């Protein structure tokens, strides 16, 4: 496993070392980057949240939008830290009220994700989060949903970047600022 630091303010904390890598999960050839070990370490979890909110402390963030499911864990903590609300972006069929839906690409095929139609008011400033950005297909779908509701996307933040898969460039091409804490080579 190789990793390089990709910024974040908390230079004392080695985020990469706190992330567990599981080879061939969920299928052969995938290096699964498991953040449960990072979340279970109080100092590293707090340091990650602090590093992700850094740069947004002095600007208005109305809502944090988290992508199911690991984005919910980070998103709740980020929202608390920024004194913002939280809105979930969920796999289809999970939200009880009226929704908007978008299809997004996965490695094989497509899936769909949803938000409540009234989750964001036009002009609200939203910080998007998930644990990891790979191809960027999931985050791009989330950006489309948020913009359909009239959100202004402040930035998208992730603990992990897999830069070889191009997700950061894909979001930046949509004029979304991307913040990540650690990058792993390969996929
Ligand atoms: P993508 O849409 O390709 O950017 O994939 C990002 C989504 O898939 C995130 O919700 C991640 O949690 C998950 N994901 C993709 N690749 C990995 C990986 N190698 N390890 C852990 N999660 C991954």
């Amino acid at each position: 496993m190789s990793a390089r630091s990709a910024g974040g303010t908390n230079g004392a904390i080695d985020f990469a070392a706190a992330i567990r890598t599981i080879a061939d999960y969920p299928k052969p050839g995938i290096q699964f980057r498991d953040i449960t070990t990072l979340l279970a370490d109080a100092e590293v979890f707090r340091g990650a949240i602090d590093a992700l909110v850094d740069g947004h402390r002095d600007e208005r963030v109305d809502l944090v939008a988290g992508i199911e499911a690991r984005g919910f864990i980070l998103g709740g903590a980020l929202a608390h830290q920024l004194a913002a609300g939280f809105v979930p972006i969920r796999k289809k069929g999970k939200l009880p009220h009226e929704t908007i839906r978008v299809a997004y690409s996965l490695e094989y095929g497509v899936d769909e994700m949803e938000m409540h139609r009234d989750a964001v008011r036009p002009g609200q400033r939203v910080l998007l989060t998930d644990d990891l950005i790979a191809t960027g297909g999931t985050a791009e779908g989330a950006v489309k949903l948020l913009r359909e509701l009239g959100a202004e996307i402040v930035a998208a933040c992730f603990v992990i970047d897999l830069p070889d898969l191009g997700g950061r460039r894909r979001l930046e091409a949509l004029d979304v600022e991307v913040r990540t804490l650690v990058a792993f080579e390969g996929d």
Side-chain angles (χ1 to χ4, degrees):
M1 172 177 72
S2 70
R4 56 184 185 271
S5 171
T9 50
N10 211 326
I13 297 181
D14 185 351
F15 296 114
I19 295 160
R20 176 163 56 194
T21 297
I22 298 168
D24 299 321
Y25 181 89
K27 55 187 176 204
I30 303 286
Q31 300 280 321
F32 189 85
R33 309 298 179 177
D34 173 21
I35 65 159
T36 63
T37 42
L38 179 150
L39 297 172
D41 183 318
E43 187 188 355
V44 182
F45 183 22
R46 177 182 281 271
I49 295 300
D50 285 346
L52 291 174
V53 301
D54 190 56
H56 304 297
R57 288 179 203 279
D58 297 327
E59 61 185 350
R60 198 184 97 222
V61 176
D62 300 308
L63 293 168
V64 176
I67 299 173
E68 185 171 2
R70 293 179 288 270
F72 292 177
I73 302 163
L74 299 167
L78 291 169
H80 177 78
Q81 206 80 338
L82 291 164
F86 175 83
V87 292
I89 300 176
R90 299 210 63 178
K91 286 158 191 154
K92 69 171 178 228
K94 303 275 191 178
L95 288 167
H97 195 52
E98 198 185 334
T99 59
I100 59 165
R101 183 181 294 186
V102 71
Y104 65 104
S105 55
L106 293 169
E107 203 173 347
Y108 301 108
V110 293
D111 206 343
E112 290 176 297
M113 66 174 97
E114 294 182 333
M115 291 183 71
H116 276 146
R117 186 174 285 284
D118 60 1
V120 180
R121 291 190 302 279
Q124 282 194 301
R125 291 171 53 81
V126 180
L127 179 69
L128 176 64
T129 193
D130 199 1
D131 63 331
L132 179 148
I133 182 160
T135 66
T138 309
E140 184 179 88
V143 165
K144 284 185 186 157
L145 283 178
L146 289 165
R147 286 188 170 157
E148 189 178 333
L149 294 178
E152 190 181 322
I153 300 176
V154 176
C157 65
F158 309 84
V159 173
I160 302 163
D161 185 17
L162 304 184
D164 298 342
L165 297 183
R168 172 189 289 270
R169 285 192 303 281
R170 194 165 166 179
L171 287 195
E172 287 172 348
L174 296 171
D175 272 329
V176 176
E177 180 193 324
V178 177
R179 174 179 288 259
T180 61
L181 300 184
V182 62
F184 290 99
E185 286 165 13
D187 55 2

